[in-house]
Amino acid sequence: MTPASTLKIMKSDSSLTRREFVGKSAGAAAAFAVFSSPKSHAAPPSSKVVIGVMGLGGRGSYLAQAFANRPDTDIAYICDVDTRRFARTRDAVEEAQGKAPKQVQDFRRILEDKSVDVLINATPDHWHAPASIMACQAGKDVYVEKPMTHTAWEGRKMIEAAQNHKRIIQVGMQSRTAKYTNDAAEYIRSGKLGDVHVVRVFNLMRHAARKPASGAPVPVPAGYDHDLWCGPAPLLPYDPGRRWLDRWEYSCGAIAGDAVHQLDLARLLMGDPAFPDTVVHAGGVNVLTDGREVPDTQMVTYEYGQRILLFEAALWTPYMTKTPQLRRDKGEMPNWPFNATRIEVLGTKGFMYFGRHGDGWQVFNEKAESVISVPGRQADKEHQNNFIECVRTRKQPIANVTQGHYSAMLSHLANISFRVGNRKLSFDAATETFKGAPDANQFLRRTYRAPWSISDAV
Amino acid sequence: MIVGASARERARRDGTRTGRGPGRGGALFARAGVVVTALLAPLALAARAQWLPITVVNVDAATTEVAGTFTSIQYELTAPGLSPLSPAYVFVRYSLDGGAHWSLVSPHQLRGDHDIVASPGRKKILWWGSDQLGLGAETVDLKVSVRGIRMVRVPGGVFTARMQPSGGFDDSQARVETATLPTFHLAKFETTVGMYADYLNEVGRNGRGWNRLMANPERCGIQRQEDGTYTVAPGRENHPVNYVSWYEAQAFLDWCGLRLPTELEWLKTMRGGLYLDGDEARRVRNPKPERKYPWGDESPEAGELWRCNCDVADRNRVPQLQPVGSFNHYNSPYGACDLAGNVAEWTLDPYATSYHNGIDGYRMIRGGSYMDPPAGCDALAGASQLPVKRGSITGFRGLRNSPR
């Protein structure tokens, strides 16, 4: 384990919950292709990478501060639909870089500024793809939070936008960058576990049921642009008690909200396969019956040929524990059976526990004896380093847009299986559609609320 | 041996009296040989938001046959305008080793003019049982400090609690229509740089409670010297202290016997109860019990006035903190200053909603700051912040429950 005090400070921030976000409508026509295809430049090594941050919730504020603390980047803009969110991030950014960022309510002001190199997109799920595609079209590289997309179709469009406009997209799946992760993948590749036929992924949380939204009309607070917050999603009446993470209009649900990190890691450990052949979901809103649309219980089986990826997610398991912040990166093995975010890799010769949050990994042989224990360390800073390096070199980043699409798809496929009645579905990788399931295919793409849209040609 | 008697005897022998009146932050130390000395709160208190002016201190002790020892502390509180609605909070700290280490005297041990003091003049505190704390030892070098903070009284009763906080709204509180709170007293002003520097000079010789961000003379201005003492940059004494974490704010308030207000207490001070004189009297109706700002519903910059220190539309203006009380024509119904703008203020409450139960320790801050737009400074706007965070936009003030 490598001690790193600076990193620890950042880690303490990395627990910040991400909620809300972003920009402003201003009523202008807002098709995503409004920006002419721009300069295809890489920031010269001698200059700072100029960044605008969209979405100042917990995660966006953290990223703004993290990049503001770097000597090679400059936070030129911070942006949120809720102007009441500016001060906290503005203060910290100014403190870190000695210069105040501009504050804008509408992210398009960032995209219009040709001096900006990068858009950091830390918005709710429904804004990830639309704003990222607009940023690519405007000549910006993008660091977008996970899940990369809100629908399956958006993932392909983001790949095309990045390719067409020669843009770098890094997805905030930072666990993929950690050294211990890649060491584990190499261990599996070496054959020491034998043939891997089953990988189990867990995301067992302790959430409380929430109070139902009041439903009573509430005036939109001054300084907050609710229309732009909803953006391409339906414009629901403002209700501060509504939780966007529980609604399909704005969210992909609990899997995408957190477990996508483990699903992405599981794909990495499996050698980064693209799409599963089949998916079947069991579960629903079984415990936290508080009006939410997205399931609180999700048991999913994905088939990749002869290999099976099993996923178990629940939000009502108080005995399960995410490794606490203070115990991360300490070189300790977690109490695996009650570790809420573990992965289990089952080979014909050995068994591997793998933990997110720098929990490390441990392998057991045929006699159930531990044969190797490798501590881990999280990699937020390394992930950011990798992004800035790729902005300069134009190399593909570690969590690039393609990997972001494949990992987000695991969320979408499971959710769609649930939404068509927990039915087993076969997926055609070539067309990225379900075979013989028009009812399922309708969920692959959403309708965007005018004036927002994503055209087929991005 | 009794401390007071010893002191009196020695004073008589040496021809001195126990101490009186210091300069700023200093003690009126008696001549060498006098054991009992008194550390006064600063005299240079023309500044309205520093410690209240306490100008005369006399410390003495005596023994009663039945009840043991008491220490008598006399002081002169000269602050103008003290009243039951705007009283002083007076607290006593003491050192047994000549000022190296200090402790707060529990208000439960004190009788007389301490805690909430509603009028100026000559005051007296009796400190019963002081010998139980070790004051009776022969070698004790007792020092006593008496300090006062201007408070406002918030009478008990019901108020409109409905809010729609942002930046981490608490949906459970958003549903609360009204709430009833008992009487309490809240500091009239945000805790100032000068007050916090005094605190550091007493407890922070090892650097605890201070951080390098505070040294910036344009933002805070508390500078740590090589000998471990603290000085304040010129002109910064009456600015609100900032760059304090929630824990550091709480430590300061523990030091003087106060605590942070809850969100509801903070909000009631801003809006006022349904009756401004409280539910027992019910004579003065609050004309605007759901007011958006301390002064009413007008936006801070309406009518080309500037009612609080927030970031108004003029983007060419560099936002700066202002001395506390700079907008004292726009106070809350109870007279509290700067509840909107200047520094946002830590509250006692964790950020907890039905879907985010506060396990990572976020605390709520209220009131918005000099970097916030007007909408960020209203009664509805709250924000969550990690309690370890130190920012230029965040400060605090103390609350005292209604005494006795």
Side-chain angles (χ1 to χ4, degrees):
Chain A
M1 193 192 88
T2 306
S5 59
T6 303
L7 193 61
K8 282 177 188 169
I9 292 169
M10 291 182 168
K11 296 257 174 62
S12 73
D13 290 341
S14 70
S15 70
L16 296 175
T17 53
R18 189 169 127 265
R19 297 172 293 268
E20 302 167 49
F21 106 97
V22 218
K24 136 98 184 162
S25 68
F32 295 160
V34 291
F35 296 95
S36 58
S37 196
K39 55 186 179 176
S40 180
H41 73 285
S46 58
S47 67
K48 291 191 174 189
V49 173
V50 179
I51 297 173
V53 181
M54 174 187 183
L56 301 178
R59 189 64 187 172
S61 181
Y62 158 72
L63 288 170
Q65 294 174 53
F67 281 98
N69 274 298
R70 297 178 63 99
D72 56 355
T73 56
D74 178 25
I75 303 296
Y77 289 89
I78 57 174
C79 168
D80 200 292
V81 289
D82 191 344
T83 60
R84 299 171 299 176
R85 288 183 156 204
F86 287 153
R88 179 177 66 174
T89 305
R90 169 187 176 180
D91 182 43
V93 167
E94 187 174 344
E95 196 70 59
Q97 67 182 21
K99 187 174 68 174
K102 294 175 184 169
Q103 306 161 90
V104 292
Q105 208 173 8
D106 187 335
F107 70 99
R108 287 171 293 189
R109 303 292 84 77
I110 299 175
L111 303 189
E112 289 164 357
D113 187 336
K114 295 195 182 311
S115 72
V116 174
D117 302 305
V118 164
L119 180 75
I120 292 177
N121 183 347
T123 58
D125 302 354
H126 67 287
W127 263 114
H128 284 177
S132 297
I133 290 170
M134 291 176 73
C136 288
Q137 292 167 338
K140 316 303 182 193
D141 296 324
V142 176
Y143 185 107
V144 59
E145 268 305 327
K146 54 78 196 171
M148 190 182 84
T149 54
H150 189 233
T151 66
W153 181 79
E154 289 180 342
R156 183 51 56 189
K157 292 297 117 180
M158 281 186 67
I159 292 172
E160 292 172 4
Q163 290 173 341
N164 293 344
H165 300 280
K166 297 182 170 54
R167 293 295 100 201
I168 300 295
I169 295 180
Q170 173 88 301
V171 184
M173 302 186 300
Q174 60 273 9
S175 299
R176 177 173 277 264
T177 299
K179 182 177 184 302
Y180 81 100
T181 304
N182 291 281
D183 289 346
E186 179 55 36
Y187 187 93
I188 295 169
R189 269 197 303 274
S190 74
K192 292 175 183 170
L193 290 185
D195 296 329
V196 171
H197 289 285
V198 173
V199 175
R200 294 198 290 241
V201 175
F202 297 85
N203 197 66
L204 299 169
M205 298 292 123
R206 47 172 95 180
H207 291 197
R210 67 180 194 82
K211 295 173 185 171
S214 65
V218 177
V220 177
Y224 167 66
D225 188 333
H226 183 61
D227 187 287
L228 189 53
W229 187 93
C230 294
L235 178 64
L236 299 186
Y238 174 70
D239 183 344
R242 183 189 301 122
R243 187 193 183 209
W244 65 264
L245 281 164
D246 293 340
R247 303 287 301 229
W248 292 124
E249 290 96 336
Y250 311 118
S251 167
C252 308
I255 296 181
D258 192 43
V260 70
H261 280 298
Q262 291 99 285
L263 289 169
D264 180 57
L265 289 169
R267 285 190 53 253
L268 178 65
L269 297 178
M270 295 169 70
D272 275 333
F275 303 112
D277 304 318
T278 68
V279 60
V280 61
H281 180 282
V285 183
N286 296 346
V287 179
L288 306 176
T289 51
D290 52 11
R292 69 183 62 209
E293 294 178 333
V294 303
D296 60 23
T297 306
Q298 299 195 278
M299 304 290 148
V300 187
T301 303
Y302 306 93
E303 291 179 308
Y304 293 83
Q306 297 296 311
R307 294 185 297 175
I308 299 171
L309 176 61
L310 298 171
F311 174 67
E312 298 184 16
L315 304 180
W316 40 266
T317 52
Y319 35 81
M320 301 301 292
T321 306
K322 267 187 173 182
T323 302
Q325 290 285 346
L326 293 176
R327 297 190 62 181
R328 295 179 186 176
D329 305 325
K330 295 283 194 280
E332 303 171 8
M333 289 293 126
N335 179 13
W336 289 115
F338 291 95
N339 180 270
T341 54
R342 73 183 186 276
I343 297 170
E344 298 174 355
V345 185
L346 282 70
T348 53
K349 295 181 184 174
F351 171 89
M352 175 186 282
Y353 275 127
F354 180 93
R356 188 182 145 198
H357 303 122
D359 288 336
W361 49 279
Q362 195 168 11
V363 172
F364 297 83
N365 62 17
E366 297 94 327
K367 298 175 183 175
E369 298 165 336
S370 174
V371 293
I372 183 171
S373 296
V374 177
R377 188 167 63 79
Q378 298 175 99
D380 266 19
K381 190 167 193 319
E382 289 84 347
H383 201 60
Q384 294 151 16
N385 290 345
N386 172 252
F387 175 60
I388 296 301
E389 179 190 346
C390 292
V391 167
R392 293 191 183 284
T393 64
R394 314 313 290 172
K395 292 178 184 172
Q396 279 298 302
I398 291 171
N400 61 48
V401 65
T402 303
Q403 297 302 338
H405 176 44
Y406 292 158
S407 292
M409 278 298 286
L410 294 178
S411 305
H412 303 322
L413 296 178
N415 288 336
I416 292 171
S417 173
F418 163 70
R419 297 178 81 174
V420 297
N422 285 333
R423 204 167 79 234
K424 186 172 183 177
L425 300 169
S426 295
F427 193 69
D428 180 359
T431 61
E432 298 190 11
T433 58
F434 295 104
K435 298 174 184 174
D439 57 339
N441 284 330
Q442 69 174 328
F443 292 111
L444 292 171
R445 183 176 179 175
R446 78 173 306 162
T447 301
Y448 297 94
R449 182 171 67 97
W452 306 97
S453 68
I454 296 178
S455 59
D456 285 321
V458 292
Chain B
M1 178 175 239
I2 302 167
V3 170
S6 169
R8 279 200 307 277
E9 288 167 7
R10 293 183 194 194
R12 224 173 7 249
R13 189 169 61 242
D14 296 343
T16 62
R17 298 175 54 218
T18 47
R20 87 166 39 210
R24 158 112 192 82
L28 210 225
F29 294 105
R31 287 207 319 251
V34 175
V35 177
V36 178
T37 55
L39 174 65
L40 295 181
L43 280 178
L45 292 169
R48 61 206 156 203
Q50 285 289 352
W51 308 113
L52 288 171
I54 295 176
T55 54
V56 176
V57 168
N58 186 37
V59 180
D60 209 342
T63 300
T64 63
E65 196 167 322
V66 176
T69 304
F70 68 85
T71 298
S72 166
I73 304 168
Q74 295 183 64
Y75 65 95
E76 187 82 18
L77 181 58
T78 58
L82 284 184
S83 72
L85 299 180
S86 182
Y89 168 68
V90 174
F91 64 101
V92 180
R93 295 183 59 80
Y94 71 101
S95 168
L96 300 181
D97 54 10
H101 301 91
W102 291 81
S103 299
L104 178 73
V105 182
S106 167
H108 302 297
Q109 285 185 264
L110 301 178
R111 295 289 183 271
D113 300 317
H114 73 107
D115 205 337
I116 298 300
V117 178
S119 63
R122 185 85 171 178
K123 303 293 177 185
K124 185 175 182 179
I125 299 171
L126 294 184
W127 179 7
W128 284 96
S130 51
D131 59 328
Q132 301 282 307
L133 298 174
L135 271 67
E138 176 69 33
T139 57
V140 160
D141 184 5
L142 174 67
K143 284 189 171 69
V144 173
S145 73
V146 181
R147 290 186 172 91
I149 299 173
R150 174 83 72 172
M151 310 295 278
V152 297
R153 181 175 187 266
V154 180
V158 67
F159 78 107
T160 304
R162 187 168 54 248
M163 42 186 167
Q164 307 155 27
S166 68
F169 60 84
D170 182 337
D171 57 358
S172 64
Q173 294 198 11
R175 315 289 165 72
V176 177
E177 293 294 315
T178 60
T180 302
L181 295 175
T183 298
F184 61 87
H185 293 82
L186 188 69
K188 182 178 177 73
F189 304 103
E190 292 157 338
T191 304
T192 64
V193 166
M195 295 163 78
Y196 196 81
D198 286 348
Y199 157 75
L200 289 176
N201 276 319
E202 190 179 297
V203 306
R205 294 298 176 93
N206 60 2
R208 185 166 57 93
W210 182 84
N211 61 79
R212 62 172 181 78
L213 298 171
M214 288 181 170
N216 182 346
E218 295 178 356
R219 286 281 177 88
C220 179
I222 301 178
Q223 287 144 356
R224 181 172 161 82
Q225 306 302 314
E226 287 185 1
D227 63 358
T229 61
Y230 299 87
T231 58
V232 175
R236 300 297 302 189
E237 289 224 330
N238 283 314
H239 285 70
V241 71
N242 50 1
Y243 296 118
V244 283
S245 71
W246 184 91
Y247 302 106
E248 289 161 344
Q250 192 63 57
F252 174 93
L253 295 174
D254 284 344
W255 176 82
C256 54
L258 299 174
R259 66 167 170 83
L260 289 168
T262 65
E263 271 200 281
L264 286 179
E265 288 163 341
W266 187 96
L267 183 60
K268 182 174 181 183
T269 311
M270 180 195 243
R271 279 180 169 161
L274 298 186
Y275 292 91
L276 294 178
D277 51 355
D279 280 7
E280 285 188 15
R282 287 178 174 260
R283 285 189 292 268
V284 184
R285 275 189 180 277
N286 185 345
K288 289 184 177 296
E290 294 187 46
R291 67 188 66 203
K292 290 177 66 178
Y293 297 98
W295 55 86
D297 291 332
E298 301 89 357
S299 183
E301 77 279 34
E304 299 184 358
L305 294 172
W306 195 16
R307 295 174 177 82
C308 73
N309 186 19
C310 61
D311 188 13
V312 291
D314 180 7
R315 297 291 179 195
N316 294 321
R317 187 182 73 89
V318 178
Q320 297 284 351
L321 286 167
Q322 300 292 330
V324 297
S326 294
F327 297 85
N328 61 5
H329 294 300
Y330 301 99
N331 294 341
S332 84
Y334 302 119
C337 296
D338 302 314
L339 286 173
N342 223 16
V343 285
E345 298 174 17
W346 288 112
T347 73
L348 198 60
D349 286 335
Y351 165 60
T353 71
S354 55
Y355 56 87
H356 181 109
N357 59 11
I359 54 174
D360 40 12
Y362 280 88
R363 298 283 170 166
M364 292 303 296
I365 55 178
R366 297 300 307 249
S369 73
Y370 72 109
M371 284 192 180
D372 274 293
C377 300
D378 67 18
L380 306 179
S384 59
Q385 182 60 285
L386 281 171
V388 296
K389 287 287 187 183
R390 301 174 175 123
S392 82
I393 61 173
T394 314
F396 65 99
R397 72 178 80 206
L399 179 138
R400 183 72 181 159
N401 291 329
S402 183
R404 293 165 291 194

